[in-house]
Amino acid sequence: MKILHITSFCLLYIASMISYAQSDPQPVAEQDKFFRPILVVPPEFPKLASTDKLTVEIRVKGIVGEDGKLEAREFSPVEGNEKFIEAIKEVLPLWRFRPAVDQALCAPVASNGVVQVWFEVKEGSPTVSVSFPKNSVISPSTAAKAPIAVRILTRRPKIEFPFAARRVGMEGSTTLLLMVNHEGEIVQKRVLYSIPDKAFGDAGLIGVRRALFNVIKPVADTPKTICMSMPINYCLSNGANFRSNTCK
C-alpha cells in the first residue's frame, strides 16, 4: 500500500508510525494541553470501493482518553462512504496518542478532537493520508498559569530496562508527569503514556523515585509545585536514556 501524502496541518503523518519525544525533562507547557499522535496505523484503501471519486475525506470526531486511545463517536459524511469508514474503524484500536495534560493536576485528561482521513486516487494509484487539524482539540479548562521558576534535573534516576521486554527484543518509550516542589523533590508521579507496553511506564515510575530537581531563580509568586514531563526511551543498544528520541 502506498502511503505517500503528507498534509499541511500542524502535525505530520509519516508512513505507518509517527513518534514524538522531548529531549529532556521540561515544565509542562501550553502545547501540552493538546493531545498529540504517537502511533498511527493507516487504513487500507477499500478494495471494492469505487475509484470514480478522486478524493474521499472522512472526518472523525471523538475523545482521546487518559489512556491515549481515541474513542470515535461520529464519522462524516456517511452516505456513500460506508466502506471507507469501515476501513478506518479497523485500525482505530491500534492508534495511540499522547493525552492532553491538566497542568494544575499534573495528570492526563480526556479531550475532544478531530482526525481527518483522505482516500485519494492519484495517477491511477490509491493513497491514504491522515492529519490532525490545528484547532481540533479542546484544552482542559483547569490548566494552571505557567510558573516563572525554571527547574533542571540535578540527580538523574537509574531506570531499569523491563526484563520481559528485553528478553523478547522489545524497545519502547514512556513519558512521566512529575509534580516537583520548591526543594526539587517529586511529590507526585504519573505515566502520561507508555508504548508499546505499560511495563516501560511502570519501570520509569520505579526508577524515578531518586530523581532530584534544582530550583532556579525562585520568585515570591511562583507556585509551590510545578508539573514536569520526563521522556524515557528504552533501547536495546544502550538501555534507558533521556536524550535520544530514536533507537539505533
Side-chain angles (χ1 to χ4, degrees):
M1 177 174 53
K2 295 182 179 180
I3 310 297
L4 302 176
H5 184 57
I6 295 179
T7 66
S8 59
F9 287 99
C10 61
L11 296 174
L12 301 182
Y13 163 73
I14 306 175
S16 62
M17 181 180 293
I18 185 165
S19 178
Y20 291 94
Q22 295 169 273
S23 59
D24 236 354
Q26 299 287 334
V28 168
E30 187 72 15
Q31 65 184 24
D32 295 311
K33 295 193 297 182
F34 308 126
F35 74 80
R36 283 180 271 172
I38 298 173
L39 188 152
V40 175
V41 177
E44 292 281 350
F45 198 103
K47 294 180 180 179
L48 300 179
S50 172
T51 57
D52 294 338
K53 295 181 179 179
L54 294 181
T55 302
V56 174
E57 178 186 346
I58 305 297
R59 189 176 179 89
V60 185
K61 291 184 179 180
I63 294 179
V64 175
E66 298 176 20
D67 59 358
K69 298 179 181 180
L70 173 64
E71 178 187 346
R73 297 188 173 183
E74 179 183 338
F75 297 85
S76 63
V78 175
E79 186 175 354
N81 295 321
E82 290 81 1
K83 292 184 177 66
F84 297 97
I85 292 174
E86 286 303 316
I88 297 172
K89 288 181 177 180
E90 288 182 4
V91 296
L92 273 180
L94 304 176
W95 291 10
R96 290 295 181 272
F97 297 83
R98 175 188 170 115
V101 177
D102 185 314
Q103 192 174 3
L105 299 177
C106 199
V109 292
S111 60
N112 296 332
V114 174
V115 178
Q116 290 176 297
V117 184
W118 281 272
F119 297 85
E120 299 176 282
V121 178
K122 294 183 177 181
E123 299 180 354
S125 299
T127 65
V128 181
S129 60
V130 182
S131 78
F132 306 84
K134 197 170 184 178
N135 298 321
S136 68
V137 296
I138 300 176
S139 60
S141 59
T142 56
K145 182 179 179 181
I148 299 174
V150 177
R151 290 169 171 80
I152 58 175
L153 191 63
T154 58
R155 187 170 68 205
R156 289 186 177 272
K158 180 176 176 55
I159 309 294
E160 298 292 340
F161 203 111
F163 175 76
R166 183 181 289 279
R167 185 175 57 185
V168 298
M170 179 189 295
E171 297 180 325
S173 66
T174 186
T175 288
L176 306 180
L177 291 176
L178 310 175
M179 188 173 285
V180 180
N181 63 18
H182 278 188
E183 285 69 47
E185 302 167 329
I186 298 173
V187 296
Q188 173 187 294
K189 54 185 183 295
R190 288 188 171 98
V191 175
L192 178 59
Y193 73 83
S194 178
I195 58 171
D197 191 88
K198 67 182 294 291
F200 297 105
D202 293 341
L205 290 178
I206 294 173
V208 81
R209 289 179 297 186
R210 293 185 57 80
L212 184 67
F213 289 79
N214 183 35
V215 180
I216 306 298
K217 298 180 180 179
V219 293
D221 60 348
T222 299
K224 294 183 179 180
T225 57
I226 183 174
C227 184
M228 306 285 293
S229 64
M230 174 183 284
I232 306 171
N233 293 286
Y234 297 83
C235 301
L236 295 171
S237 59
N238 58 354
N241 65 86
F242 303 94
R243 293 189 176 278
S244 174
N245 60 3
T246 58
C247 294
K248 298 180 180 180

